[in-house]
Amino acid sequence: MTDLPILYSFRRCPYAMRARMALAASGAEVMLREVLLQDKPPELVAASPKATVPVLVLSDGQVVEESLDVMQWALEHGDPLGWLEGAALDSEWISECDEGFKHWLDRYKYAERYPEHTAEDCRHNAEGFIQRLEDQLSVSGWMGGGAANAVDVALFPFIRQFAGVDVAWWQETPYAFTQQWLARWVDSALFSTIMAKYPRWESGQTGQRFPSEAPNT
Ligand SMILES: N[C@@H](CCC(=O)N[C@@H](CS)C(=O)NCC(=O)O)C(=O)O
């Protein structure tokens, strides 16, 4: 048994990615439980009836069930990279990403589920946000100040998804600063760590220490 916090996570979920990035950067250790969204374990639903990931269950039973709150918890625990310096997780950039941009991202990525729009229209609608990012990133290469901070971390998994829908198209776009910024995140050692593949968690198991037991994949 362990009294480490428990993190319910799904590897490819961008909300879970931002939480795992902050946890990995913070030096906190958690027990990661990799779940399948189509077959959520009852333990997750019992801890958080809305049953989205990520969910962090602290050793005192407190449940942190929003990705930004998991980031905040992690970075308050430890912030050696200074990601909270000059950054606030209630930034309008993040709310714009999670609301407007994500709306069009889903419709672009899963265009077949939304026959009322063309994929190109959805991409075009999402691009307004990308253009604003590009303008911001052209100033210093980051979302604020001269270094990476928590706002960059919260955003990049969603931009990665957007870029990944049609990589050839993305590479031809004029968003050079955003392309570079995204590549820096995706090529980082921290990102490789948080994208390690964990086996699906089964009831009765404790989970796997994250990030220290990250498999080498
Ligand atoms: N506002 C939540 C959103 C999390 C979320 O929507 N996660 C998705 C996966 S990427 C999820 O768990 N969806 C539930 C489902 O598919 O049943 C957060 O920031 O943590």
Side-chain angles (χ1 to χ4, degrees):
M1 274 306 281
T2 163
D3 59 1
L4 290 177
I6 293 167
L7 179 71
Y8 290 96
S9 181
F10 175 60
R11 181 172 178 270
R12 288 187 290 116
C13 166
Y15 299 98
M17 284 181 202
R18 63 163 59 141
R20 296 199 306 274
M21 286 290 290
L23 285 165
S26 75
E29 261 198 338
V30 298
M31 295 305 279
L32 187 145
R33 296 180 171 183
E34 178 74 16
V35 305
L36 275 189
L37 295 179
Q38 311 90 297
D39 187 14
K40 293 173 189 163
E43 290 85 345
L44 165 61
V45 183
S48 171
K50 75 181 173 73
T52 59
V53 289
V55 167
L56 185 68
V57 182
L58 304 181
S59 27
D60 64 2
Q62 196 190 321
V63 178
V64 186
E65 54 184 351
E66 283 293 320
S67 56
L68 297 174
D69 294 335
V70 177
M71 289 186 75
Q72 187 74 34
W73 180 89
L75 297 172
E76 280 173 4
H77 171 95
D79 187 14
L81 301 176
W83 283 354
L84 278 184
E85 282 164 29
L89 287 165
D90 61 359
S91 155
E92 277 181 21
W93 283 109
I94 302 177
S95 48
E96 241 192 276
C97 170
D98 289 15
E99 289 152 29
F101 178 70
K102 177 74 162 68
H103 174 91
W104 291 114
L105 169 61
D106 286 347
R107 280 154 185 77
Y108 171 40
K109 187 170 160 62
Y110 304 109
E112 67 290 350
R113 296 183 202 165
Y114 300 95
E116 65 277 23
H117 301 286
T118 67
E120 286 71 24
D121 281 349
C122 298
R123 181 171 73 195
H124 178 75
N125 290 339
E127 268 186 87
F129 184 66
I130 302 286
Q131 181 62 61
R132 287 197 294 286
L133 275 192
E134 178 72 7
D135 294 343
Q136 171 65 34
L137 292 170
S138 70
V139 177
S140 74
W142 304 105
M143 289 308 295
N149 70 33
V151 176
D152 300 83
V153 177
L155 297 181
F156 89 81
F158 296 83
I159 310 305
R160 173 180 172 272
Q161 258 193 1
F162 179 78
V165 176
D166 183 345
V167 174
W169 174 84
W170 172 250
Q171 284 169 347
E172 293 302 313
T173 62
Y175 308 124
F177 288 98
T178 312
Q179 289 165 353
Q180 275 171 29
W181 169 85
L182 179 61
R184 255 183 254 146
W185 284 115
V186 171
D187 295 342
S188 69
L190 207 53
F191 188 65
S192 301
T193 298
I194 71 124
M195 290 305 279
K197 287 188 178 139
Y198 289 88
R200 181 184 174 184
W201 176 75
E202 308 281 353
S203 285
Q205 300 173 337
T206 49
Q208 287 197 263
R209 267 174 204 266
F210 172 89
S212 60
E213 280 181 355
N216 294 321
T217 48

